[in-house]
Amino acid sequence: MWGQQLGGSFIRVVLTLCVVAFSACQNAVATGLDEASANEVVVALHGRGIGATKEASGGGSDATYQVLVASDDVAPALAAMRDEALPRPAGHGFDEVFQGGGLVPTPTEERARFLSGLSGELERSLLVMDSVLAARVHLALPERSRASLSNDNPLPPRASVLLRTRAGMSADEEAVRALVAGAVPRLEASAISVISTPQATPAAASERLVQVGPITVTQGSSTALKAVLGGAIGVIALLAIGMVFLARRRREPPVV
């Protein structure tokens, strides 16, 4: 009975050491995210062969998430997030730019906020495209004053779109121009400049995997796994020695 209790205590110690070791070897690479953004980061890192988990803080509608990776994977994870433009920056559409400001904004302030909100809404729409990682939209819409209204040839609106696309993929520039032109009055598709830069080809996920005995893990997790396995083997060895000692004690004749 005493031997069984000792064995159970050793097993609990091993499990506790495993949990503590893995927790101590993890670092946050992104914090303050909503669940959808955290999931996007975790999926992207797993696609690069980097083990990642999300952890919630708070509760209810105010809950935020952080993404954790092994200590040795912090630098590769940050590089992968930079390449994938993650986490996505907070949008600045109409719902954001018009929620603040004075009670009676000036016409100039109102126009600037409108252009910022319109650009933000277009950027959000462009990010829906599978090939687009990041997007910036710059609108040049000349203000139509009385002088311009009386002019037979007023300055036409123009726009510039800067895209960052996934490796091996290109954006449909005709679709991009159609989207932007359809959202801006009097803007012709021919007056929209689209500049696209491709993402660098990411390293294959298999390049970040290593073998620890029969187990395949990421490079960052291999150190922690080796430490845990070594500690477990040591505890098992101590347990075996203890069991042998108890068996010998039982075989010894009682002292009279």
Side-chain angles (χ1 to χ4, degrees):
M1 180 66 69
W2 188 82
Q4 292 178 352
Q5 293 177 349
L6 178 62
S9 300
F10 271 115
I11 293 174
R12 286 192 292 271
V13 170
V14 171
L15 293 176
T16 302
L17 289 175
C18 291
V19 173
V20 171
F22 278 112
S23 299
C25 294
Q26 287 191 316
N27 295 87
V29 292
T31 59
L33 306 177
D34 56 38
E35 188 170 13
S37 298
N39 289 338
E40 190 176 12
V41 173
V42 170
V43 170
L45 293 180
H46 283 182
R48 296 290 191 94
I50 300 173
T53 58
K54 67 177 183 180
E55 183 178 90
S57 60
S61 58
D62 296 331
T64 59
Y65 293 81
Q66 61 178 353
V67 177
L68 303 172
V69 301
S71 299
D72 292 343
D73 280 336
V74 170
L78 293 175
M81 291 166 58
R82 180 198 60 205
D83 292 342
E84 297 286 342
L86 293 173
R88 305 289 184 191
H92 59 280
F94 288 123
D95 50 345
E96 285 84 11
V97 298
F98 281 104
Q99 67 181 357
L103 296 177
V104 184
T106 64
T108 301
E109 181 185 4
E110 190 75 13
R111 176 177 172 77
R113 292 166 66 183
F114 172 79
L115 291 177
S116 178
L118 181 57
S119 298
E121 294 292 340
L122 288 170
E123 290 167 6
R124 288 177 175 177
S125 299
L126 291 170
L127 288 175
V128 176
M129 295 181 173
D130 291 337
S131 60
V132 177
L133 286 172
R136 292 296 302 271
V137 177
H138 302 276
L139 299 175
L141 307 182
E143 190 171 0
R144 303 192 72 181
S145 61
R146 291 183 179 180
S148 64
L149 289 175
S150 62
N151 191 348
D152 294 336
N153 296 309
L155 293 175
R158 300 187 62 84
S160 298
V161 180
L162 177 61
L163 302 176
R164 188 178 183 191
T165 59
R166 300 185 186 277
M169 302 179 68
S170 59
D172 186 344
E173 295 188 4
E174 184 177 350
V176 171
R177 291 190 177 93
L179 174 66
V180 177
V184 181
R186 300 188 306 111
L187 178 60
E188 299 291 336
S190 58
I192 301 173
S193 300
V194 179
I195 301 174
S196 179
T197 57
Q199 172 198 30
T201 303
S206 58
E207 295 181 4
R208 293 213 39 86
L209 300 180
V210 296
Q211 290 286 136
V212 181
I215 304 174
T216 302
V217 295
T218 63
Q219 292 180 4
S221 302
S222 62
T223 302
L225 180 59
K226 291 176 182 177
V228 170
L229 290 177
I233 292 173
V235 171
I236 292 173
L238 291 175
L239 179 60
I241 293 172
M243 297 299 290
V244 171
F245 176 76
L246 288 176
R248 289 183 176 180
R249 285 284 301 272
R250 289 183 177 181
R251 292 177 181 177
E252 293 178 356
V255 180
V256 178

